[in-house]
Amino acid sequence: MKTQEQIIELIKKQKVSFIASVDEEGFPNIKAMFAPRRIQGNCFYFSTNTSSMRSQQFIKNERASVYFYSKGCFRHEGIMLIGTMEVLQDNEIKKEIWQTGDAIYYKQGVSDPDYCVLKFTAKRGRYYCNLKTENFDL
């Protein structure tokens, strides 16, 4: 079994993550997003649009899942995390997560009302590697 530190190191190497929300009918909705901008313990911070379908779903239902996948020549690894997602509008966290290139998407800068931070708090997960899986708690 990988340690939490090893799992975080694998996640930090990924450029893409897959985020799942739950729609009004209870069905999962999955979207590819950039990797988290910050990882603190079992919390992962993403940048997105407040007006996006995903943000609106998380406002109504905070249940979420995030998946990371690494494909090597001989080794394939996947990490599924289950937890909750908060939509943060606090200017302090928005400033901390902001990156220079974000101005392309958010014309009003950090204070743009359509810019928000998604904070995912993982509760447990499942690790996959070469046809073997293991559950873990965080």
Side-chain angles (χ1 to χ4, degrees):
M1 176 64 187
K2 286 207 178 267
T3 66
Q4 184 170 348
E5 292 78 26
Q6 290 170 317
I7 288 169
I8 297 299
E9 284 308 309
L10 177 79
I11 290 170
K12 285 181 177 179
K13 293 177 184 173
Q14 306 315 306
K15 291 181 170 54
V16 175
S17 58
F18 298 90
I19 294 180
S21 57
V22 180
D23 69 15
E24 296 79 17
E25 296 178 17
F27 290 100
N29 289 210
I30 300 172
K31 176 183 179 171
M33 289 185 65
F34 290 117
R37 295 212 172 157
R38 175 190 289 168
I39 301 172
Q40 287 181 309
N42 65 331
C43 294
F44 300 77
Y45 296 83
F46 300 86
S47 172
T48 195
N49 295 82
T50 308
S51 62
S52 73
M53 179 180 77
R54 204 76 52 221
S55 293
Q56 296 308 305
Q57 287 175 341
F58 289 130
I59 289 170
K60 294 176 186 170
N61 185 342
E62 65 180 8
R63 290 182 179 189
S65 183
V66 180
Y67 191 80
F68 302 93
Y69 178 72
S70 174
K71 180 183 176 195
C73 293
F74 300 102
R75 182 182 177 106
H76 305 290
E77 294 178 281
I79 297 170
M80 178 188 66
L81 301 174
I82 295 172
T84 57
M85 189 78 78
E86 298 172 70
V87 179
L88 305 178
Q89 288 285 353
D90 178 68
N91 277 337
E92 181 89 16
I93 190 67
K94 288 168 64 170
K95 286 178 189 174
E96 292 174 22
I97 301 302
W98 183 264
Q99 293 179 352
T100 306
D102 290 344
I104 296 169
Y105 306 106
Y106 309 106
K107 302 301 180 200
Q108 297 177 39
V110 171
S111 61
D112 194 315
D114 199 35
Y115 167 59
C116 70
V117 173
L118 298 179
K119 177 186 178 186
F120 176 74
T121 304
K123 299 193 182 306
R124 65 182 185 274
R126 188 165 176 89
Y127 172 72
Y128 165 85
C129 184
N130 295 331
L131 305 176
K132 294 180 185 171
T133 59
E134 295 180 58
N135 294 321
F136 59 90
D137 290 319
L138 294 172

